Amino acid sequence: MNTITARACLSALAGAACLLSPATWAQSPSDFTSQLRPRFHVGEGGTRYSLAERMQHYNVPGVAVAVLADGEVVYAQGFGVLQTGGSEPVDEHTVFSAGSVSKIATSALTLRLHDAGLLDINAPVSGQLRSWELPQSAFDNQAVTLRTILSHTAGFNIHGFPDFQPGEELPSVYQTLNGEPPARHGALELTFEPGSTYRYSGGGFTLAQLIITDQTGTAFESAAETHLFEPLGMSRSSFANPLPSSHGNIARAHDRDGQPAALPRGYETMPEMAASGLWVSASDMGLLVEALIDAYRGDGEYLEHATAVDMMSRVARTQHGLGPRIEHAGDQYFFHHAGANNSYQSWVEGHLATGDGLVVLTNGARGNGLHMEIRNAVADTMGWQINSAIRYPQIDVPVEMLEAMTGRYVVDDRVPLDHRQQMVSGIFAMELEVALVDGQLFAGAAGGDINIPLVPVSPTRFVIDGLGMREGVAELEFHRDATREVNSMSFHIANASSHYWRNE
């Protein structure tokens, strides 16, 4: 049995907290490869799968995994091949497109530059831009700071970006911000008062990319090399797009059927580098997770301790700290982020109290299902108290009870936005409708398709299988009073909730 050394006491904002006993795991980290499982199962036990079986199931030819314990990478390994039909193996140094996991790297770089006095995350960005100006808007441009950009509360549009195929003309950062061809979206603009609510914005991170260039006087990818990759020893990482083939050991792109994509080169280009353009290996990404955990604990040198605590403190009206998503439940406190480009799916997390962590990189368009099952397997193997298996109980809810839950539900505006966390926009601001079809409840946005099945785990709690599973279980809870009437419900994902009144 491997035993992690006793955890160090952690200095936090509210004072000191100490984990009194060492953590142990009964298996080697490599044993996760026979323990893959979905989050939900029917009946007792649940089926376990091998990694090879699930790679085949999800049509993912290659995957690389790194596992951390007590703030150190204790395992890094690659599986499968760089490209279907080939024989070159994936290893821990193979680089994959990280998708939006790039935002963790960009946030760390931004905060490093803030610590060095090369930019200011709290000052208006308008004063830090040299080569571009924010467009005029009905909102307060002076309230836009890098702090609001990193937490996705600045108010910018443009959720994400399409990838570019080999040979296609690439937009400059200015064309991306202006929405000019060959960019394939509209211009960056403010859609609400900065700080007032949440909207995930890769466009905002592209603006951060330009600020870093303007303030350092170097290209973004060069600034990352100097201020991020070199200090952390991330020798295989790059923001270069397109990535030159000379970089070597590159996981090639694959579509949902597992067939090679982006030919003839074999991988796409992501010119919006800060938002989605990182190329990284599992071992390199593990070094970044190490550095962020160490800085939070006050043991590292990459970020100042106060800056790391700031980074890992959840910002109201969003799920994010300054970059990563933040989740907590009981004594668990961790950051995470998923990444999804056309042909690559990735996952990164770091547990701030225990120092545990995980990196999963895949080169298939369906890799998100795979990395979630790998996460479950690693958590079980390492003894992490997250993502426990959920068994669907055999519940026969009377039809009259189900009928009482149907109808339209409107958001309860009396609940402050700060209390809703990230559940403040998008579907969480819409009316929802619940319908009964052939004895089963379904949900959806009112006026749209009501086709999302609700699976009962108690007479009044229903899991939404497949929604919110990266961050946690999504469920609807109906509140039934003593007269057997249902007048309200709550929508839960992980540790966030949104509340609704029934409006028939």
Side-chain angles (χ1 to χ4, degrees):
M1 176 181 292
N2 296 310
T3 304
I4 306 175
T5 57
R7 313 298 192 183
C9 290
L10 304 179
S11 175
L13 289 175
C18 187
L19 299 174
L20 299 178
S21 61
T24 62
W25 64 80
Q27 306 175 71
S28 165
S30 63
D31 289 342
F32 87 88
T33 58
S34 63
Q35 299 293 314
L36 274 69
R37 61 167 173 82
R39 187 73 187 275
F40 304 96
H41 65 90
V42 177
E44 298 295 334
T47 303
R48 299 279 179 165
Y49 302 94
S50 71
L51 177 59
E53 287 177 309
R54 299 314 269 174
M55 289 174 68
Q56 182 176 16
H57 173 79
Y58 289 110
N59 296 325
V60 175
V63 60
V65 177
V67 178
L68 290 87
D70 200 24
E72 295 183 2
V73 175
V74 295
Y75 174 86
Q77 184 66 51
F79 305 88
V81 293
L82 300 184
Q83 188 173 61
T84 292
S87 59
E88 292 183 85
V90 171
D91 61 30
E92 68 271 27
H93 303 299
T94 300
V95 294
F96 294 73
S97 170
S100 286
V101 166
S102 307
K103 294 180 176 71
I104 290 184
T106 298
S107 298
L109 169 62
T110 302
L111 295 172
R112 171 82 165 192
L113 295 172
H114 172 80
D115 283 347
L118 296 177
L119 51 76
D120 186 346
I121 66 168
N122 300 309
V125 299
S126 57
Q128 302 183 76
L129 287 165
R130 300 286 181 264
S131 59
W132 192 77
E133 291 185 1
L134 280 176
Q136 293 299 311
S137 74
F139 306 105
D140 182 8
N141 280 3
Q142 294 302 300
V144 178
T145 64
L146 282 165
R147 178 180 292 276
T148 61
I149 289 173
L150 297 183
S151 60
H152 298 280
T153 59
F156 287 120
N157 59 342
I158 310 179
H159 180 96
F161 304 94
D163 297 350
F164 286 80
Q165 299 300 309
E168 290 186 319
E169 183 182 359
L170 304 178
S172 68
V173 65
Y174 306 106
Q175 289 170 321
T176 297
L177 294 172
N178 292 327
E180 299 170 348
R184 300 168 182 164
H185 49 75
L188 184 73
E189 59 183 25
L190 285 175
T191 61
F192 56 76
E193 191 67 31
S196 63
T197 188
Y198 163 71
R199 182 173 182 176
Y200 186 89
S201 176
F205 268 73
T206 304
L207 183 60
Q209 173 183 321
L210 182 58
I211 292 170
I212 289 171
T213 294
D214 283 354
Q215 290 296 299
T216 62
T218 60
F220 176 78
E221 55 268 41
S222 298
E225 186 69 35
T226 301
H227 299 282
L228 176 65
F229 302 145
E230 288 182 0
L232 295 182
M234 298 172 65
S235 60
R236 291 287 297 147
S237 303
S238 178
F239 273 110
N241 278 276
L243 185 69
S245 58
S246 59
H247 193 87
N249 198 2
I250 304 167
R252 264 43 181 192
H254 295 84
D255 63 19
R256 295 185 64 82
D257 296 323
Q259 296 304 305
L263 299 174
R265 184 178 61 217
Y267 51 92
E268 296 90 353
T269 298
M270 286 62 66
E272 305 84 11
M273 293 172 281
S276 60
L278 176 65
W279 292 90
V280 70
S281 67
S283 57
D284 270 16
M285 197 68 209
L287 294 176
L288 177 55
V289 175
E290 273 189 19
L292 296 179
I293 291 173
D294 286 348
Y296 179 86
R297 289 173 151 185
D299 297 332
E301 298 179 353
Y302 184 71
L303 295 179
E304 294 180 5
H305 175 57
T307 300
V309 171
D310 200 9
M311 181 186 194
M312 300 301 175
S313 298
R314 193 168 188 170
V315 175
R317 307 175 188 182
T318 173
Q319 192 182 9
H320 295 260
L322 301 185
R325 293 183 170 102
I326 306 297
E327 191 169 329
H328 53 84
D331 63 354
Q332 300 296 308
Y333 190 68
F334 53 96
F335 68 89
H336 59 77
H337 213 295
N341 282 339
N342 286 2
S343 308
Y344 300 85
Q345 301 275 337
S346 59
W347 175 267
V348 169
E349 69 183 279
H351 298 240
L352 295 163
T354 63
D356 298 327
L358 175 65
V359 176
V360 184
L361 306 172
T362 75
N363 66 343
R366 294 180 62 207
N368 59 320
L370 179 63
H371 71 58
M372 285 188 282
E373 293 191 17
I374 290 174
R375 187 185 188 220
N376 296 338
V378 172
D380 293 348
T381 301
M382 302 297 287
W384 301 348
Q385 300 305 303
I386 61 168
N387 279 23
S388 57
I390 295 176
R391 178 174 63 88
Y392 286 148
Q394 300 297 318
I395 297 176
D396 184 14
V397 183
V399 170
E400 59 269 22
M401 286 185 65
L402 297 176
E403 288 176 341
M405 301 171 193
T406 63
R408 287 198 173 197
Y409 292 81
V410 298
V411 175
D412 185 352
D413 289 330
R414 299 175 304 171
V415 179
L417 290 182
D418 287 358
H419 295 184
R420 297 186 213 164
Q421 300 181 36
Q422 79 270 19
M423 300 178 77
V424 299
S425 61
I427 191 172
F428 308 117
M430 299 177 185
E431 287 191 15
L432 301 181
E433 186 168 346
V434 177
L436 183 64
V437 180
D438 295 331
Q440 181 173 9
L441 288 181
F442 291 82
D449 294 330
I450 315 303
N451 58 6
I452 302 173
L454 305 183
V455 182
V457 291
S458 84
T460 57
R461 290 175 50 243
F462 295 77
V463 166
I464 309 173
D465 194 350
L467 178 63
M469 287 185 60
R470 282 176 170 174
E471 290 78 24
V473 176
E475 68 173 53
L476 292 180
E477 178 183 6
F478 297 90
H479 306 294
R480 185 170 181 259
D481 65 21
T483 69
R484 295 177 293 181
E485 292 293 321
V486 174
N487 297 308
S488 63
M489 75 173 183
S490 298
F491 189 173
H492 308 292
I493 296 182
N495 51 289
S497 296
S498 187
H499 304 283
Y500 300 77
W501 287 109
R502 189 165 178 242
N503 181 27
E504 292 182 317

